Amino acid sequence: MIEKIIVAKNIREYTIQEFISHELPKACYSKIELKKTPLGEKIIIYTSRPGLVVGKKGSNIQKITEV
């Protein structure tokens, strides 16, 4: 039972990483970290170029958050 939970968590992390890599191909991010919070999950993107991740007036972040 615990193995299924761990596998499901790893699959979810992988799908999120694939989605981010397709949405932000030029952002030069190094890793993605998922943290559980009481309200949901928080995705932390480590990048060397935060301007490309955020976008003009936060447009990229808003688009990714909506999806």
Side-chain angles (χ1 to χ4, degrees):
M1 190 67 169
I2 294 174
E3 294 86 13
K4 288 183 181 181
I5 295 171
I6 293 171
V7 170
K9 180 183 173 190
N10 287 339
I11 289 172
R12 182 176 170 93
E13 286 182 16
Y14 179 75
T15 55
I16 290 173
Q17 286 179 356
E18 286 296 312
F19 175 75
I20 299 277
S21 68
H22 289 295
E23 289 292 317
L24 304 171
K26 297 179 184 177
C28 299
Y29 67 93
S30 60
K31 69 177 181 174
I32 297 171
E33 185 177 320
L34 297 175
K35 287 191 176 182
K36 280 192 129 180
T37 62
L39 299 176
E41 286 189 78
K42 183 185 256 187
I43 300 172
I44 301 170
I45 302 172
Y46 293 94
T47 181
S48 60
R49 300 175 74 185
L52 291 177
V53 174
V54 174
K56 191 176 279 187
K57 296 184 181 178
S59 61
N60 287 344
I61 293 295
Q62 289 177 354
K63 183 176 74 171
I64 291 172
T65 304
E66 290 174 1
V67 175

